[in-house]
Coordinates of all heavy atoms in Angstrom, one line a residue:
M17 N -14.6 32.0 -12.8 CA -15.0 31.4 -11.5 C -14.2 30.1 -11.3 O -14.0 29.3 -12.2 CB -16.5 31.0 -11.6 CG -17.0 30.5 -10.4 SD -18.8 30.5 -10.5 CE -19.2 29.7 -9.0
R18 N -13.7 29.9 -10.0 CA -12.9 28.8 -9.7 C -13.8 27.6 -9.3 O -14.9 27.7 -8.8 CB -12.1 29.1 -8.4 CG -11.2 30.3 -8.6 CD -10.0 29.8 -9.4 NE -9.0 31.0 -9.5 CZ -7.8 30.8 -9.8 NH1 -7.3 29.6 -10.0 NH2 -7.0 31.8 -10.0
A19 N -13.3 26.4 -9.7 CA -14.0 25.2 -9.4 C -13.9 24.8 -7.9 O -12.9 25.2 -7.3 CB -13.4 24.0 -10.2
K20 N -14.9 24.2 -7.4 CA -14.9 23.8 -6.0 C -15.1 22.3 -5.9 O -15.7 21.7 -6.8 CB -15.9 24.6 -5.2 CG -15.6 26.0 -5.2 CD -16.7 26.8 -4.5 CE -16.5 28.3 -4.6 NZ -17.7 28.9 -5.1
L21 N -14.7 21.7 -4.8 CA -15.0 20.3 -4.5 C -15.9 20.2 -3.2 O -15.9 21.1 -2.4 CB -13.7 19.6 -4.1 CG -12.6 19.7 -5.2 CD1 -11.3 19.1 -4.6 CD2 -13.0 18.8 -6.4
S22 N -16.7 19.2 -3.2 CA -17.5 19.0 -2.0 C -17.1 17.6 -1.5 O -16.8 16.7 -2.3 CB -19.0 19.0 -2.3 OG -19.4 18.0 -3.2
A23 N -17.2 17.4 -0.2 CA -16.8 16.2 0.5 C -17.9 15.7 1.4 O -18.6 16.5 2.0 CB -15.5 16.3 1.2
R24 N -18.1 14.4 1.4 CA -19.1 13.7 2.2 C -18.5 12.5 2.8 O -17.8 11.7 2.2 CB -20.3 13.4 1.4 CG -21.5 12.9 2.2 CD -22.7 12.8 1.3 NE -22.5 11.7 0.4 CZ -23.4 11.3 -0.4 NH1 -24.5 12.0 -0.5 NH2 -23.3 10.3 -1.2
L25 N -18.8 12.2 4.1 CA -18.3 11.1 4.8 C -19.5 10.1 5.0 O -20.5 10.5 5.5 CB -17.8 11.5 6.2 CG -17.3 10.3 7.1 CD1 -16.1 9.6 6.5 CD2 -16.9 10.9 8.4
E26 N -19.3 8.9 4.5 CA -20.4 7.9 4.6 C -19.8 6.8 5.5 O -18.8 6.1 5.2 CB -20.8 7.3 3.3 CG -21.4 8.4 2.4 CD -21.8 7.8 1.0 OE1 -21.7 6.6 0.8 OE2 -22.3 8.6 0.2
P27 N -20.4 6.5 6.7 CA -19.9 5.5 7.6 C -20.0 4.1 6.9 O -20.9 3.9 6.1 CB -20.9 5.6 8.8 CG -21.5 6.9 8.7 CD -21.5 7.3 7.2
K28 N -19.0 3.3 7.3 CA -19.0 1.9 6.7 C -20.2 1.1 7.0 O -20.8 0.5 6.2 CB -17.7 1.2 7.2 CG -17.5 -0.2 6.7 CD -16.3 -0.8 7.2 CE -16.0 -2.2 6.7 NZ -14.8 -2.8 7.2
Q29 N -20.7 1.1 8.3 CA -21.8 0.4 8.7 C -22.8 1.3 9.4 O -22.4 1.8 10.5 CB -21.5 -0.8 9.5 CG -20.6 -1.8 8.8 CD -20.2 -2.9 9.7 OE1 -20.4 -2.8 10.9 NE2 -19.5 -3.9 9.2
G30 N -24.0 1.4 8.9 CA -25.0 2.2 9.6 C -24.7 3.7 9.7 O -23.6 4.1 9.2
G31 N -25.5 4.4 10.4 CA -25.2 5.8 10.5 C -25.6 6.6 9.3 O -25.8 6.1 8.2
R32 N -25.7 7.9 9.5 CA -26.0 8.8 8.4 C -24.8 9.4 7.8 O -23.7 9.6 8.4 CB -26.8 10.0 8.9 CG -28.3 9.7 9.1 CD -29.1 10.9 9.5 NE -28.3 12.2 9.6 CZ -28.8 13.3 9.9 NH1 -30.0 13.4 10.2 NH2 -28.0 14.4 9.9
A33 N -24.9 9.7 6.5 CA -23.8 10.3 5.8 C -23.7 11.8 6.3 O -24.7 12.4 6.7 CB -24.0 10.3 4.3
R34 N -22.5 12.3 6.3 CA -22.3 13.7 6.8 C -21.6 14.5 5.8 O -20.5 14.1 5.3 CB -21.5 13.6 8.1 CG -21.4 14.9 8.9 CD -20.7 14.7 10.2 NE -19.3 14.5 9.9 CZ -18.4 14.4 10.8 NH1 -18.7 14.4 12.1 NH2 -17.1 14.2 10.5
N35 N -22.2 15.6 5.4 CA -21.5 16.6 4.5 C -20.4 17.3 5.2 O -20.6 17.8 6.3 CB -22.5 17.6 3.9 CG -23.4 16.9 2.9 OD1 -23.0 16.0 2.2 ND2 -24.6 17.4 2.9
L36 N -19.2 17.2 4.7 CA -18.0 17.8 5.3 C -17.8 19.3 4.9 O -17.0 20.0 5.5 CB -16.8 17.0 5.1 CG -16.8 15.6 5.6 CD1 -15.5 14.8 5.3 CD2 -17.0 15.6 7.1
G37 N -18.4 19.6 3.7 CA -18.3 21.0 3.3 C -17.8 21.2 1.9 O -17.6 20.2 1.2
I38 N -17.5 22.4 1.5 CA -17.0 22.8 0.2 C -15.6 23.2 0.3 O -15.2 23.9 1.2 CB -17.8 23.9 -0.4 CG1 -19.3 23.6 -0.4 CG2 -17.3 24.4 -1.8 CD1 -19.7 22.5 -1.4
A39 N -14.7 22.8 -0.6 CA -13.3 23.1 -0.6 C -12.9 23.8 -1.9 O -13.3 23.4 -3.0 CB -12.5 21.9 -0.4
L40 N -12.2 24.9 -1.9 CA -11.7 25.6 -3.1 C -10.5 24.9 -3.6 O -10.3 24.7 -4.8 CB -11.4 27.0 -2.7 CG -10.7 27.8 -3.9 CD1 -11.8 27.9 -5.0 CD2 -10.3 29.2 -3.4
N41 N -9.6 24.4 -2.7 CA -8.3 23.8 -3.2 C -8.3 22.3 -3.2 O -8.1 21.7 -4.3 CB -7.1 24.3 -2.3 CG -6.8 25.7 -2.5 OD1 -7.1 26.3 -3.6 ND2 -6.2 26.4 -1.5
D42 N -8.5 21.7 -2.1 CA -8.4 20.2 -2.0 C -9.1 19.6 -0.9 O -9.4 20.3 0.1 CB -6.9 19.8 -2.1 CG -6.0 20.4 -1.0 OD1 -6.5 20.6 0.1 OD2 -4.9 20.7 -1.2
V43 N -9.3 18.3 -1.0 CA -9.8 17.5 0.1 C -8.7 16.4 0.3 O -8.3 15.8 -0.6 CB -11.1 16.8 -0.3 CG1 -11.6 15.8 0.8 CG2 -12.2 17.8 -0.6
V44 N -8.3 16.2 1.6 CA -7.3 15.3 2.0 C -7.8 14.2 2.9 O -8.5 14.5 3.8 CB -6.1 16.1 2.6 CG1 -5.0 15.1 3.0 CG2 -5.6 17.2 1.7
I45 N -7.5 13.0 2.5 CA -7.8 11.9 3.4 C -6.5 11.3 3.9 O -5.6 11.0 3.2 CB -8.5 10.7 2.6 CG1 -9.8 11.3 2.0 CG2 -8.8 9.6 3.5 CD1 -10.4 10.4 1.0
K46 N -6.4 11.3 5.3 CA -5.1 10.8 5.9 C -5.5 10.2 7.2 O -6.5 10.4 7.8 CB -4.1 11.9 6.1 CG -4.5 13.0 7.0 CD -3.4 14.0 7.2 CE -3.4 14.7 8.6 NZ -3.2 13.8 9.7
P47 N -4.6 9.3 7.7 CA -4.8 8.7 9.0 C -4.7 9.7 10.2 O -4.0 10.7 10.0 CB -3.8 7.6 9.1 CG -2.7 8.0 8.2 CD -3.3 8.8 7.1
P48 N -5.3 9.4 11.3 CA -5.2 10.4 12.4 C -3.7 10.5 12.9 O -3.3 11.6 13.3 CB -6.0 9.8 13.6 CG -6.6 8.5 13.0 CD -6.2 8.3 11.6
S49 N -2.9 9.4 12.8 CA -1.5 9.6 13.1 C -0.8 9.5 11.8 O -1.2 8.9 10.9 CB -1.0 8.4 14.0 OG -0.9 7.2 13.2
S50 N 0.3 10.2 11.7 CA 1.0 10.3 10.4 C 2.0 9.2 10.2 O 2.8 9.2 9.3 CB 1.7 11.7 10.3 OG 2.7 11.8 11.4
Y51 N 1.9 8.2 11.0 CA 2.9 7.1 10.9 C 2.4 5.8 10.3 O 3.1 4.8 10.3 CB 3.5 6.8 12.3 CG 4.1 8.0 13.0 CD1 3.5 8.6 14.1 CD2 5.2 8.5 12.5 CE1 4.0 9.7 14.6 CE2 5.8 9.7 13.0 CZ 5.2 10.2 14.1 OH 5.7 11.4 14.6
R52 N 1.2 5.8 9.8 CA 0.6 4.6 9.2 C 0.0 4.9 7.9 O -0.6 5.9 7.6 CB -0.6 4.0 10.1 CG -0.1 3.5 11.4 CD -1.2 2.8 12.1 NE -0.7 2.2 13.3 CZ -0.8 1.0 13.6 NH1 -1.5 0.2 12.8 NH2 -0.3 0.5 14.7
A53 N 0.3 4.0 7.0 CA -0.3 4.1 5.6 C -1.7 3.5 5.7 O -2.1 2.8 6.6 CB 0.5 3.3 4.6
L54 N -2.5 3.9 4.7 CA -3.9 3.4 4.6 C -4.0 2.6 3.3 O -3.3 2.8 2.3 CB -4.9 4.6 4.5 CG -5.0 5.4 5.8 CD1 -5.9 6.6 5.6 CD2 -5.5 4.6 7.0
R55 N -5.0 1.7 3.3 CA -5.4 0.9 2.1 C -6.7 1.5 1.6 O -7.7 1.5 2.4 CB -5.6 -0.6 2.4 CG -4.3 -1.3 2.9 CD -4.6 -2.7 3.2 NE -3.6 -3.3 3.9 CZ -2.5 -3.9 3.4 NH1 -2.4 -3.9 2.1 NH2 -1.6 -4.4 4.2
F56 N -6.7 2.0 0.4 CA -7.8 2.7 -0.2 C -8.3 1.9 -1.4 O -7.5 1.3 -2.1 CB -7.5 4.0 -0.8 CG -6.9 5.0 0.2 CD1 -5.6 5.3 0.2 CD2 -7.8 5.7 1.1 CE1 -5.1 6.2 1.1 CE2 -7.3 6.6 2.0 CZ -5.9 6.9 2.0
D57 N -9.6 1.9 -1.7 CA -10.2 1.5 -2.9 C -10.7 2.8 -3.6 O -11.5 3.5 -2.9 CB -11.3 0.5 -2.8 CG -10.8 -0.9 -2.4 OD1 -9.6 -1.2 -2.5 OD2 -11.6 -1.7 -1.9
V58 N -10.3 3.1 -4.8 CA -10.7 4.3 -5.4 C -11.6 4.0 -6.6 O -11.2 3.2 -7.5 CB -9.5 5.1 -5.9 CG1 -9.9 6.5 -6.5 CG2 -8.6 5.4 -4.7
T59 N -12.7 4.7 -6.7 CA -13.7 4.6 -7.8 C -14.0 5.9 -8.4 O -14.2 6.9 -7.6 CB -15.0 3.9 -7.3 OG1 -14.6 2.6 -6.7 CG2 -15.9 3.6 -8.5
A60 N -14.1 6.1 -9.7 CA -14.5 7.3 -10.3 C -15.7 7.0 -11.2 O -15.6 6.2 -12.1 CB -13.4 7.9 -11.1
G61 N -16.9 7.6 -10.9 CA -18.1 7.2 -11.6 C -18.4 5.7 -11.3 O -18.4 5.3 -10.2
E62 N -18.5 5.0 -12.4 CA -18.8 3.5 -12.3 C -17.5 2.7 -12.4 O -17.5 1.5 -12.4 CB -19.8 3.1 -13.3 CG -21.1 3.8 -13.2 CD -21.8 3.4 -11.9 OE1 -21.8 2.3 -11.5 OE2 -22.4 4.4 -11.2
T63 N -16.3 3.4 -12.6 CA -15.1 2.7 -12.9 C -14.2 2.5 -11.7 O -13.9 3.5 -11.0 CB -14.3 3.4 -14.0 OG1 -15.1 3.6 -15.1 CG2 -13.0 2.7 -14.4
F64 N -13.9 1.3 -11.3 CA -13.0 1.0 -10.2 C -11.6 1.3 -10.7 O -11.1 0.8 -11.7 CB -13.1 -0.4 -9.8 CG -12.1 -0.8 -8.7 CD1 -12.3 -0.3 -7.4 CD2 -11.1 -1.7 -8.9 CE1 -11.4 -0.6 -6.4 CE2 -10.2 -2.0 -7.9 CZ -10.4 -1.5 -6.7
L65 N -10.9 2.3 -10.1 CA -9.6 2.7 -10.5 C -8.4 1.8 -9.9 O -7.3 1.8 -10.4 CB -9.3 4.2 -10.2 CG -10.3 5.1 -10.8 CD1 -10.0 6.5 -10.4 CD2 -10.2 5.0 -12.3
G66 N -8.7 1.2 -8.7 CA -7.7 0.3 -8.2 C -7.6 0.5 -6.7 O -8.2 1.3 -6.0
H67 N -6.7 -0.4 -6.2 CA -6.3 -0.5 -4.8 C -5.1 0.4 -4.6 O -4.2 0.3 -5.4 CB -6.0 -1.9 -4.3 CG -7.1 -2.9 -4.6 ND1 -8.3 -2.9 -3.8 CD2 -7.2 -3.8 -5.5 CE1 -9.0 -3.9 -4.3 NE2 -8.4 -4.4 -5.3
V68 N -5.1 1.2 -3.6 CA -4.0 2.1 -3.3 C -3.5 1.9 -1.9 O -4.3 1.9 -1.0 CB -4.4 3.6 -3.5 CG1 -3.2 4.5 -3.2 CG2 -4.9 3.8 -4.9
V69 N -2.2 1.8 -1.7 CA -1.6 1.8 -0.3 C -0.8 3.1 -0.3 O 0.2 3.2 -1.1 CB -0.8 0.6 0.0 CG1 -0.2 0.7 1.4 CG2 -1.7 -0.7 -0.1
A70 N -1.1 4.0 0.5 CA -0.4 5.3 0.6 C -0.6 6.0 2.0 O -1.4 5.5 2.7 CB -0.9 6.2 -0.5
D71 N 0.2 7.0 2.2 CA 0.1 7.7 3.5 C -1.1 8.6 3.5 O -1.6 9.1 4.6 CB 1.3 8.6 3.7 CG 2.6 7.7 4.0 OD1 2.4 6.5 4.1 OD2 3.7 8.3 4.1
G72 N -1.7 8.8 2.4 CA -2.9 9.7 2.3 C -3.3 9.8 0.8 O -2.7 9.3 -0.1
L73 N -4.4 10.5 0.6 CA -4.9 10.8 -0.8 C -5.4 12.2 -0.9 O -6.1 12.7 0.1 CB -6.0 9.8 -1.1 CG -6.4 9.5 -2.5 CD1 -5.2 8.8 -3.2 CD2 -7.6 8.7 -2.7
V74 N -5.1 12.9 -1.9 CA -5.5 14.3 -2.2 C -6.4 14.3 -3.4 O -6.0 13.9 -4.5 CB -4.3 15.2 -2.4 CG1 -4.7 16.7 -2.6 CG2 -3.3 15.1 -1.2
A75 N -7.5 14.9 -3.3 CA -8.4 15.2 -4.4 C -8.3 16.8 -4.5 O -8.7 17.5 -3.6 CB -9.8 14.8 -4.2
A76 N -7.8 17.3 -5.7 CA -7.6 18.7 -5.8 C -8.3 19.3 -7.0 O -8.5 18.6 -8.1 CB -6.1 19.0 -5.9
S77 N -8.8 20.5 -6.9 CA -9.3 21.3 -8.0 C -8.1 21.9 -8.7 O -7.0 21.8 -8.3 CB -10.2 22.4 -7.4 OG -9.4 23.4 -6.7
P78 N -8.3 22.5 -9.9 CA -7.2 23.1 -10.6 C -6.5 24.2 -9.7 O -5.3 24.2 -9.7 CB -7.8 23.8 -11.8 CG -9.0 22.9 -12.1 CD -9.5 22.5 -10.8
S79 N -7.2 24.9 -8.9 CA -6.6 25.9 -7.9 C -5.7 25.1 -6.9 O -4.7 25.6 -6.6 CB -7.7 26.7 -7.2 OG -8.4 27.4 -8.1
G80 N -6.2 24.0 -6.5 CA -5.4 23.3 -5.5 C -4.3 22.4 -6.0 O -3.5 21.9 -5.3
S81 N -4.2 22.3 -7.4 CA -3.2 21.4 -8.0 C -1.8 22.0 -7.7 O -0.8 21.2 -7.9 CB -3.5 21.3 -9.5 OG -3.2 22.5 -10.2
T82 N -1.7 23.2 -7.4 CA -0.4 23.8 -7.1 C 0.0 23.8 -5.7 O 1.0 24.4 -5.3 CB -0.3 25.3 -7.6 OG1 -1.3 26.0 -7.0 CG2 -0.5 25.3 -9.1
A83 N -0.8 23.1 -4.8 CA -0.5 23.1 -3.4 C -0.1 21.7 -3.0 O 0.9 21.1 -3.5 CB -1.7 23.5 -2.6
Y84 N -0.8 21.0 -2.1 CA -0.5 19.7 -1.5 C -0.3 18.7 -2.6 O 0.6 17.8 -2.6 CB -1.5 19.3 -0.5 CG -1.1 18.2 0.4 CD1 0.2 17.6 0.4 CD2 -2.1 17.7 1.3 CE1 0.5 16.6 1.3 CE2 -1.8 16.6 2.2 CZ -0.5 16.1 2.2 OH -0.2 15.1 3.0
S85 N -1.2 18.7 -3.6 CA -1.2 17.7 -4.7 C 0.1 17.8 -5.4 O 0.8 16.8 -5.8 CB -2.4 17.9 -5.7 OG -2.3 17.0 -6.7
L86 N 0.6 19.0 -5.7 CA 1.9 19.2 -6.4 C 3.0 18.6 -5.6 O 3.9 18.0 -6.1 CB 2.1 20.6 -6.8 CG 3.4 21.0 -7.5 CD1 3.4 20.3 -8.9 CD2 3.6 22.5 -7.6
S87 N 3.0 18.9 -4.3 CA 4.0 18.5 -3.4 C 4.1 16.9 -3.3 O 5.1 16.3 -3.1 CB 3.8 19.0 -2.0 OG 3.9 20.4 -2.0
A88 N 2.9 16.3 -3.5 CA 2.8 14.8 -3.5 C 3.1 14.2 -4.9 O 3.0 13.0 -5.0 CB 1.5 14.4 -3.0
G89 N 3.5 15.0 -5.9 CA 3.9 14.5 -7.2 C 2.8 14.7 -8.2 O 3.0 14.1 -9.3
G90 N 1.8 15.4 -8.0 CA 0.7 15.6 -8.9 C 1.0 16.7 -9.9 O 2.0 17.4 -9.8
P91 N 0.3 16.8 -11.0 CA 0.5 17.8 -12.1 C -0.1 19.1 -11.7 O -1.0 19.2 -10.9 CB -0.2 17.2 -13.3 CG -1.4 16.5 -12.7 CD -0.8 15.9 -11.4
V92 N 0.4 20.1 -12.4 CA -0.2 21.5 -12.3 C -1.3 21.5 -13.4 O -1.1 21.2 -14.5 CB 0.8 22.6 -12.6 CG1 0.2 23.9 -12.6 CG2 1.9 22.6 -11.5
V93 N -2.5 21.9 -13.0 CA -3.6 22.0 -13.9 C -4.0 23.5 -14.0 O -4.1 24.2 -13.0 CB -4.8 21.2 -13.4 CG1 -6.0 21.4 -14.3 CG2 -4.5 19.8 -13.2
A94 N -4.1 24.0 -15.3 CA -4.4 25.4 -15.5 C -5.8 25.7 -14.9 O -6.7 24.9 -15.0 CB -4.5 25.7 -17.0
P95 N -5.9 26.9 -14.3 CA -7.2 27.3 -13.6 C -8.4 27.2 -14.5 O -9.5 26.9 -13.9 CB -6.9 28.7 -13.1 CG -5.5 28.9 -13.1 CD -4.9 27.9 -14.2
G96 N -8.4 27.4 -15.7 CA -9.5 27.4 -16.6 C -10.0 26.0 -17.0 O -11.1 25.8 -17.5
L97 N -9.2 25.0 -16.8 CA -9.6 23.6 -17.1 C -10.6 23.0 -16.1 O -10.5 23.4 -14.9 CB -8.4 22.7 -17.2 CG -7.4 23.0 -18.3 CD1 -6.2 22.1 -18.2 CD2 -8.1 22.8 -19.7
E98 N -11.5 22.2 -16.6 CA -12.4 21.5 -15.7 C -11.8 20.2 -15.4 O -11.8 19.3 -16.3 CB -13.8 21.4 -16.3 CG -14.4 22.8 -16.5 CD -15.8 22.7 -17.0 OE1 -16.4 21.5 -17.0 OE2 -16.4 23.7 -17.5
A99 N -11.3 19.9 -14.2 CA -10.7 18.7 -13.9 C -10.6 18.5 -12.4 O -10.7 19.5 -11.6 CB -9.3 18.6 -14.5
I100 N -10.4 17.3 -12.0 CA -10.1 16.9 -10.6 C -8.8 16.1 -10.6 O -8.7 15.2 -11.5 CB -11.2 16.0 -9.9 CG1 -12.5 16.8 -9.9 CG2 -10.8 15.6 -8.6 CD1 -13.7 15.9 -9.5
V101 N -7.9 16.4 -9.8 CA -6.6 15.6 -9.7 C -6.7 14.8 -8.4 O -6.9 15.3 -7.4 CB -5.4 16.6 -9.6 CG1 -4.1 15.8 -9.5 CG2 -5.3 17.5 -10.8
V102 N -6.5 13.5 -8.6 CA -6.4 12.6 -7.5 C -5.0 12.1 -7.3 O -4.5 11.4 -8.2 CB -7.4 11.4 -7.7 CG1 -7.3 10.4 -6.5 CG2 -8.8 11.9 -7.8
T103 N -4.4 12.4 -6.2 CA -2.9 12.2 -6.0 C -2.7 11.4 -4.7 O -3.1 11.9 -3.7 CB -2.1 13.5 -6.0 OG1 -2.4 14.3 -7.1 CG2 -0.6 13.2 -5.9
P104 N -2.1 10.2 -4.8 CA -1.7 9.5 -3.6 C -0.5 10.2 -2.9 O 0.4 10.7 -3.6 CB -1.3 8.1 -4.1 CG -0.9 8.3 -5.5 CD -1.7 9.5 -6.0
V105 N -0.5 10.3 -1.6 CA 0.6 10.9 -0.9 C 1.5 9.7 -0.5 O 1.1 8.8 0.2 CB 0.1 11.6 0.4 CG1 1.2 12.1 1.2 CG2 -0.9 12.7 0.0
C106 N 2.7 9.8 -0.9 CA 3.8 8.7 -0.7 C 3.2 7.3 -0.9 O 3.1 6.5 0.0 CB 4.3 8.9 0.8 SG 5.1 10.4 1.1
P107 N 2.8 7.0 -2.2 CA 2.3 5.7 -2.4 C 3.3 4.6 -2.2 O 4.5 4.9 -2.4 CB 1.9 5.8 -3.9 CG 2.7 6.8 -4.5 CD 3.0 7.8 -3.4
H108 N 2.9 3.4 -1.8 CA 3.8 2.4 -1.5 C 4.1 1.4 -2.7 O 4.4 0.3 -2.5 CB 3.3 1.6 -0.3 CG 3.3 2.4 1.0 ND1 3.6 1.8 2.2 CD2 3.2 3.7 1.2 CE1 3.6 2.8 3.1 NE2 3.3 3.9 2.5
T109 N 3.9 2.0 -3.9 CA 4.2 1.2 -5.1 C 4.5 2.3 -6.2 O 4.0 3.4 -6.2 CB 3.0 0.4 -5.6 OG1 3.3 -0.3 -6.8 CG2 1.7 1.2 -5.8
L110 N 5.4 1.9 -7.1 CA 5.8 2.8 -8.2 C 4.7 2.9 -9.2 O 4.7 3.9 -10.0 CB 7.1 2.3 -8.8 CG 8.3 2.3 -8.0 CD1 9.5 1.7 -8.7 CD2 8.7 3.8 -7.6
G111 N 3.8 2.0 -9.3 CA 2.7 2.0 -10.3 C 1.6 3.0 -10.0 O 0.8 3.2 -10.9
M112 N 1.5 3.6 -8.9 CA 0.4 4.5 -8.6 C 0.8 5.9 -8.7 O 1.7 6.4 -8.0 CB -0.1 4.2 -7.2 CG -1.4 4.9 -6.8 SD -2.7 4.4 -8.0 CE -3.8 5.8 -7.9
R113 N 0.2 6.6 -9.6 CA 0.5 8.0 -9.9 C -0.8 8.9 -9.8 O -1.9 8.3 -9.8 CB 1.3 8.2 -11.2 CG 2.6 7.5 -11.2 CD 3.6 8.3 -10.3 NE 4.8 7.6 -10.0 CZ 5.2 7.3 -8.8 NH1 4.5 7.8 -7.8 NH2 6.3 6.6 -8.6
A114 N -0.6 10.1 -9.9 CA -1.8 11.0 -9.9 C -2.6 10.8 -11.2 O -2.1 10.5 -12.2 CB -1.3 12.5 -9.9
L115 N -3.9 11.0 -11.0 CA -4.9 10.9 -12.1 C -5.6 12.2 -12.3 O -5.9 12.9 -11.3 CB -5.9 9.8 -11.8 CG -5.4 8.4 -11.6 CD1 -6.5 7.5 -11.0 CD2 -4.9 7.8 -12.9
V116 N -5.8 12.6 -13.5 CA -6.6 13.8 -13.9 C -7.9 13.3 -14.4 O -7.9 12.6 -15.4 CB -5.9 14.7 -14.9 CG1 -6.7 15.9 -15.2 CG2 -4.5 15.1 -14.3
L117 N -9.0 13.7 -13.8 CA -10.3 13.2 -14.1 C -11.3 14.3 -14.4 O -11.1 15.4 -13.9 CB -10.9 12.4 -12.9 CG -10.0 11.2 -12.4 CD1 -10.5 10.7 -11.1 CD2 -10.1 10.1 -13.5
P118 N -12.3 14.0 -15.2 CA -13.3 15.1 -15.4 C -14.1 15.3 -14.2 O -14.4 14.4 -13.4 CB -14.2 14.5 -16.5 CG -14.0 13.0 -16.5 CD -12.6 12.8 -15.9
P119 N -14.5 16.6 -13.9 CA -15.3 16.9 -12.7 C -16.7 16.3 -12.7 O -17.4 16.3 -11.6 CB -15.3 18.4 -12.7 CG -15.2 18.8 -14.1 CD -14.3 17.7 -14.8
S120 N -17.2 15.8 -13.8 CA -18.5 15.2 -13.8 C -18.5 13.8 -13.1 O -19.6 13.3 -12.8 CB -19.0 15.0 -15.3 OG -18.0 14.1 -16.0
L121 N -17.4 13.2 -12.9 CA -17.3 11.9 -12.2 C -17.2 12.1 -10.7 O -16.5 13.0 -10.2 CB -16.1 11.2 -12.6 CG -16.0 10.7 -14.0 CD1 -14.7 9.9 -14.3 CD2 -17.2 9.8 -14.3
E122 N -18.0 11.4 -10.0 CA -17.9 11.4 -8.5 C -16.8 10.4 -8.1 O -16.8 9.3 -8.5 CB -19.2 10.9 -7.9 CG -19.2 10.8 -6.4 CD -20.5 10.3 -5.8 OE1 -20.8 9.1 -5.9 OE2 -21.2 11.1 -5.2
V123 N -15.9 10.9 -7.4 CA -14.7 10.1 -6.9 C -15.1 9.6 -5.5 O -15.4 10.4 -4.6 CB -13.4 10.9 -6.9 CG1 -12.3 10.1 -6.3 CG2 -13.1 11.5 -8.2
R124 N -15.1 8.3 -5.4 CA -15.4 7.6 -4.1 C -14.1 6.9 -3.6 O -13.4 6.2 -4.4 CB -16.5 6.6 -4.3 CG -17.8 7.3 -4.7 CD -18.9 6.3 -4.9 NE -19.3 5.6 -3.7 CZ -20.3 6.0 -2.8 NH1 -20.9 7.1 -3.2 NH2 -20.5 5.4 -1.8
V125 N -13.8 7.1 -2.3 CA -12.7 6.5 -1.7 C -13.1 5.7 -0.5 O -13.8 6.2 0.4 CB -11.6 7.5 -1.3 CG1 -10.4 6.9 -0.6 CG2 -11.2 8.4 -2.5
A126 N -12.9 4.4 -0.5 CA -13.2 3.5 0.6 C -11.9 3.2 1.3 O -10.9 2.7 0.7 CB -13.9 2.3 0.1
I127 N -11.9 3.5 2.6 CA -10.7 3.1 3.4 C -10.9 1.7 3.9 O -11.8 1.4 4.6 CB -10.5 4.1 4.6 CG1 -10.3 5.5 4.1 CG2 -9.3 3.7 5.5 CD1 -10.4 6.6 5.2
R128 N -10.0 0.8 3.5 CA -10.1 -0.6 3.9 C -9.4 -0.9 5.2 O -10.0 -1.7 6.0 CB -9.5 -1.5 2.7 CG -10.3 -1.4 1.5 CD -11.7 -1.9 1.7 NE -12.5 -1.6 0.5 CZ -13.8 -1.4 0.6 NH1 -14.4 -1.4 1.7 NH2 -14.5 -1.2 -0.5
S129 N -8.3 -0.4 5.4 CA -7.6 -0.6 6.7 C -6.3 0.2 6.7 O -5.9 0.8 5.7 CB -7.2 -2.1 6.8 OG -6.3 -2.5 5.8
S130 N -5.7 0.2 7.9 CA -4.4 0.9 8.0 C -3.3 -0.2 7.9 O -3.6 -1.4 8.2 CB -4.2 1.7 9.3 OG -4.3 0.8 10.4
V131 N -2.1 0.2 7.5 CA -1.0 -0.7 7.4 C -0.1 -0.5 8.6 O 0.3 0.6 8.9 CB -0.2 -0.4 6.1 CG1 1.0 -1.4 6.0 CG2 -1.1 -0.6 4.9
A132 N 0.2 -1.6 9.3 CA 1.0 -1.5 10.5 C 2.5 -1.2 10.2 O 2.9 -1.4 9.1 CB 0.9 -2.8 11.3

């Protein structure tokens, strides 16, 4: 059986959280226009992973690790492994690379702003 991801959008101020659905391959966060980078804060479970400036962010299941995540520089994960790959798309620093995390951790991404 293939692992799946679920995505939920929580508004910054007020409003109700909205379930975006279930994904077999990946969940992608990107700006509406492809010409601006975003500033993200990424947390996994209770651990703050860092500030990321990138054109987008991909959270992929092992099945999705061979698609957009791989194109963005992420690793290939064998289908039988239980993992989530979090890969920045065109990060604006050399220090930010893909992370392989256990699926038991909830990955939270806060969009802070876009970069002009």
